[in-house]
């Protein structure tokens, strides 16, 4: 796998000297990505190594020294402490990292998505147009839940995309966008939404033994109509049936910014005795996915596994602990694309899917101006790991 990736990358000259700026909320993920980039580029043997086009190709780190210091009033500025002239720059930001704090006139403030987005703009502004190309890697797309207008309301995600492009960003890479059609706001610029399907399946197969991945023993469930395409993809790649729930809402009320759900109605074939994979883009409070799991258990489903790209767990972990204890859920898999609490990482029911190697592949490939199409569609890798699982070759 590594060898194939590395070999193809060297067929083209890098766009510019590779530089990476992970903002503070994304520093852990950035360090892991940097580890892979340094490792691969140190191992590579190339006759072009000494040519001018490859200058700065092998370094001890690709992370550039940058900071966003704050004044006592809570105001801030972006500072880049080394040259970015001519660089192919990748800025990583986790807008969902609420663990970071700053002082606001003596009060401790937790950083909101707005604060992180503002810091991203400060770093882009500090670059001052000197980089050759700027790519923003924003795994959790800022304001992606506010992507369409259903009343007289703001279109925040589209505004943010246009703002970034207006500041000189060439490409935006996100993961599992709530609705990828929001890219219509910037039709002439690069926008990729990446699915972590392979990492989910790899995580499940590495941690759970004895699964039978066929139509008679397993099924993929979409918890709502909006996430159908994710479930259809996983079901098709694994050769499974799929089912879906639709939410019956009370449109006469608004609670916490949305119409409350009255019931989850199921559409699909018989699920009795089958293992279930529920797949969604995010776990916010977790209420919705746990209601779906309970409804599946009532229909006599066997083990229930939850795949979700972003585990926000905004209402804490208690309800998941309870669902695990009473056998409603078996495992929950989310990625390290957003902040994970130490409590979450310690839970028996939790499986962490590390995305750093995947991001490193994407950065490495884009820096060489090579196609990332095969990285975006991992069908071969998924089928290969399922074959190895059935043959008993995993772990």
């Amino acid at each position: 796998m590594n060898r194939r990736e590395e070999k193809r990358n060297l067929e083209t000259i890098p766009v510019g000297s590779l530089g990476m700026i992970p903002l503070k909320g994304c520093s852990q993920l950035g360090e892991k990505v940097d580890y892979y980039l340094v490792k691969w580029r140190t191992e590579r043997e190339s006759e072009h190594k000494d040519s001018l086009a490859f200058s700065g190709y092998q370094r001890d780190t690709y992370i550039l020294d940058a900071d966003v210091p704050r004044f006592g009033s809570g105001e801030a500025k972006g500072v880049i402490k080394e040259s970015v002239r001519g660089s192919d720059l990748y800025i990583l930001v986790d807008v969902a990292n609420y663990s970071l704090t700053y002082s606001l006139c003596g009060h401790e403030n937790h950083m909101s998505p707005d604060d992180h987005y503002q810091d991203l703009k400060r770093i882009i502004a500090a670059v001052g147009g000197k980089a050759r190309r700027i790519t923003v890697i924003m795994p959790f797309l800022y304001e992606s839940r506010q992507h369409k207008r259903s009343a007289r309301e703001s279109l925040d995600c589209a505004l943010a995309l246009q703002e970034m492009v207006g500041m000189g960003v060439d490409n935006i890479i996100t993961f599992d966008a709530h609705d990828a059609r929001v890219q219509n706001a910037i039709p002439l610029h690069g926008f990729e939404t990446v699915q972590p399907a392979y990492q989910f399946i790899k995580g499940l197969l590495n941690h759970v033994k004895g699964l039978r991945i066929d139509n008679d023993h397993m099924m993929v469930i979409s918890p709502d109509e909006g996430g159908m395409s994710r479930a259809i993809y996983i079901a098709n790649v694994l050769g499974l049936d799929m089912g879906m729930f639709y939410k019956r809402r009370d449109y006469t009320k608004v609670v916490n910014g949305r119409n409350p759900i009255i019931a989850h109605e199921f559409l699909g074939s018989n699920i009795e005795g089958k293992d279930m994979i529920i797949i969604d883009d995010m776990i916010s409070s977790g209420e919705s996915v746990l209601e779906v799991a309970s409804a599946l258990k009532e229909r006599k489903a066997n083990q229930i596994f939850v795949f979700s790209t972003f585990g926000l767990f905004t209402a804490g972990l208690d309800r998941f602990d309870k669902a695990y204890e009473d056998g409603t859920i078996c495992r929950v898999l989310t990625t390290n694309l957003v902040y994970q609490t130490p409590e979450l990482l310690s839970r028996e029911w939790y499986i962490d899917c590390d995305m750093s190697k995947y991001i490193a592949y994407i950065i490495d490939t884009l820096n060489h101006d090579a196609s990332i199409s095969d990285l975006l569609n991992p069908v071969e890798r998924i089928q290969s790991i399922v074959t190895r699982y059935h043959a008993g070759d995993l772990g």
Side-chain angles (χ1 to χ4, degrees):
M1 172 70 184
N2 291 9
R3 202 151 292 161
R4 189 190 75 196
E5 297 291 351
E6 287 159 16
K7 193 176 173 186
R8 69 166 185 184
N9 279 349
L10 284 176
E11 290 168 8
T12 53
I13 290 171
V15 172
S17 178
L18 176 58
M20 196 167 58
I21 301 178
L23 270 73
K24 203 173 280 177
C26 215
S27 56
Q28 215 174 355
L29 182 64
E31 282 163 17
K32 286 184 174 178
V33 172
D34 187 50
Y35 163 79
Y36 285 111
L37 291 170
V38 170
K39 181 170 174 280
W40 296 337
R41 293 192 170 198
T42 305
E43 287 169 0
R44 266 181 205 150
E45 287 302 320
S46 163
E47 67 272 23
H48 306 298
K49 229 179 243 179
D50 299 324
S51 81
L52 200 57
F54 278 74
S55 70
Y57 191 73
Q58 292 184 342
R59 299 215 298 274
D60 294 337
T61 179
Y62 296 95
I63 294 177
L64 302 175
D65 192 5
D67 193 17
V68 184
R70 284 189 182 262
F71 303 103
S73 59
E75 296 164 297
K77 61 178 177 181
V79 183
I80 298 173
K81 299 172 184 174
E82 53 189 291
S83 173
V84 292
R85 191 175 293 276
S87 292
D88 183 20
L89 205 55
Y90 294 82
I91 306 174
L92 279 70
V93 58
D94 173 11
V95 299
N97 190 340
Y98 59 88
S99 72
L100 297 182
T101 60
Y102 63 91
S103 175
L104 174 61
C105 300
H107 299 281
E108 187 181 57
N109 242 17
H110 280 264
M111 286 183 74
S112 71
D114 294 343
D115 290 319
H116 286 292
Y117 176 60
Q118 202 65 28
D119 280 0
L120 168 70
K121 291 197 295 183
R122 290 178 176 119
I123 289 294
I124 296 168
V127 171
K130 300 298 183 284
R132 182 159 301 166
R133 186 173 72 176
I134 299 177
T135 301
V136 168
I137 299 180
M138 184 188 277
F140 185 90
L141 187 60
Y142 174 69
E143 288 290 357
S144 58
R145 294 165 87 173
Q146 189 48 34
H147 62 286
K148 67 178 190 288
R149 180 176 280 159
S150 50
R152 182 60 56 220
E153 57 190 29
S154 58
L155 286 168
D156 296 46
C157 190
L159 275 174
L161 293 177
Q162 290 188 348
E163 197 171 15
M164 283 190 275
V165 161
M167 292 182 78
V169 172
D170 298 279
N171 297 298
I172 295 159
I173 295 172
T174 188
F175 283 76
D176 211 347
H178 196 63
D179 187 342
R181 289 173 295 186
V182 76
Q183 69 186 289
N184 292 344
I186 48 165
L188 301 180
H189 288 77
F191 180 96
E192 298 291 350
T193 174
V194 186
Q195 297 292 337
Y198 170 69
Q199 283 76 12
F200 283 143
I201 291 161
K202 182 180 170 185
L204 181 67
L205 301 187
N206 276 330
H207 288 86
V208 183
K209 303 297 170 221
L211 293 173
R212 297 170 73 180
I213 305 165
D214 60 47
N215 235 341
D216 299 325
H217 299 94
M218 193 175 267
M219 195 167 168
V220 183
I221 304 292
S222 173
D224 55 36
E225 61 280 16
M228 283 281 285
S229 58
R230 284 180 208 94
I232 290 169
Y233 181 82
I234 296 266
N236 285 348
V237 173
L238 295 178
L240 306 175
D241 268 349
M242 73 151 285
M244 71 159 276
F245 282 83
Y246 68 91
K247 295 167 182 169
R248 188 178 293 170
R249 295 182 182 272
D250 181 353
Y251 287 105
T252 62
K253 297 180 197 158
V254 175
V255 179
N256 291 335
R258 60 181 188 168
N259 304 106
I261 298 161
I262 305 165
H264 291 271
E265 304 290 353
F266 181 65
L267 301 172
S269 55
N270 182 24
I271 64 176
E272 191 173 334
K274 293 182 182 177
D275 292 334
M276 299 283 125
I277 293 173
I278 303 173
I279 183 158
D280 206 359
D281 62 334
M282 71 174 76
I283 293 171
S284 187
S285 66
E287 183 184 354
S288 183
V289 77
L290 291 177
E291 280 176 14
V292 164
S294 297
L296 291 170
K297 276 293 181 189
E298 282 167 22
R299 292 168 173 80
K300 300 190 171 67
N302 191 22
Q303 302 178 94
I304 294 178
F305 305 102
V306 179
F307 292 1
S308 180
T309 309
F310 307 110
L312 304 177
F313 300 101
T314 56
L317 303 175
D318 293 350
R319 56 180 69 182
F320 282 88
D321 291 337
K322 189 173 178 302
Y324 177 63
E325 280 160 26
D326 64 26
T328 306
I329 56 169
C330 184
R331 291 282 187 278
V332 177
L333 292 81
T334 73
T335 69
N336 62 340
L337 293 170
V338 291
Y339 170 68
Q340 299 157 300
T341 62
E343 294 78 37
L344 175 65
L345 293 168
S346 71
R347 289 300 196 266
E348 199 180 336
W349 46 262
Y350 181 67
I351 296 172
D352 172 26
C353 299
D354 183 9
M355 300 298 294
S356 55
K357 194 173 189 181
Y358 195 17
I359 294 173
Y361 275 137
I362 291 169
I363 291 176
D364 201 21
T365 309
L366 288 176
N367 181 235
H368 278 270
D369 240 0
S371 169
I372 59 169
S373 298
D374 62 325
L375 287 172
L376 299 181
N377 190 7
V379 176
E380 280 176 36
R381 283 180 291 160
I382 291 171
Q383 289 173 344
S384 156
I385 201 166
V386 170
T387 306
R388 283 167 54 211
Y389 180 77
H390 285 317
D393 291 344
L394 287 187

